[in-house]
Amino acid sequence: MMIVAKSLSEFDSARRALEGATVGFVPTMGALHQGHASLIVKAVRECDAVVISDFVNPTQFNNKNDFNTYPRTLDDDCALVEPLGVKILFAPRVVDIYPEGSGLDSKVFDLGGLDMYGEGPRRPGHFNGMAQVVTRLFDIVRPDRAYFGEKDYQQLAIIEYFTKNLGYPIEIVRCPIARAENGLALSSRNKLLSKEAFEAAPHIYNTISKVHGMKGVISVSDAIEKIVSMIDSNPLFKTEYVEIVDAATLRPVTMWDEAPALRLSCAVYAGPVRLIDNIAV
Ligand code: PAF
């Protein structure tokens, strides 16, 4: 039986029963889909007990409308994850995570400069807010391992950085992006797409995948320009950015051989919905 803990005290009493077990943790903002399920299945396989959190963290939304429209589907989430073998689903209230007067929602984190490019400047405060909630959840859940998807590649790199920097004894487990058969990266925000945009959205992955044929053939900047214009050739989409970065430092590169591993990442608007994706180059 999965325990659904809706407050800190409910969580603490459920967590006590797991003392001595190797605990795997999958933090989420709910609106769970098969991408989350793939992280949970891996965690269940590798740990004695798995905890997931389901919390739409207000401090990581730089856009109020995005926060207000973020899908909230707790009952469906419970139905999806219980059969996977999750022991505790922690769905706290804001006051459990950020008690009034605690200052936890204004704490500033060293992100190692990994927030200087990509999503960082486009979503001011987002990664710091993400660090607030993830460290708070680490303190409450006390996992041995925590599982994150490469869909949010920059988030994952930042989490690895502060976990180490702050001395958390937690292994961060990287999990590959879960994609639909047509290539679309699974995302909670896909639920917000119009039918037309949803059907057309694999266009983003299909286009960024073309970078493989461009690598070493044309310049990095020409490749970016080409990919942007190919994405935008479909009137349903508008690229915010395409970057090709050093996969370790996340700094944009100008040459293909500038770093041992590269990553292409992008953000694309489909109407009001902002989608992100990335691939190894
Ligand atoms: O990736 C997410 O869903 C969120 O950023 C996370 C890690 C659960 C923190 O709110």
Side-chain angles (χ1 to χ4, degrees), residues 26-30 36 53 55-57 60 70 126 129-130 133-134 137 148 152 155 159:
V26 183
T28 83
M29 297 206 299
H36 298 106
S53 62
F55 177 66
V56 184
N57 171 38
Q60 73 185 74
Y70 201 85
H126 165 66
M130 180 279 291
V133 76
V134 170
L137 290 167
F148 295 91
D152 294 292
Q155 164 173 285
I159 291 169

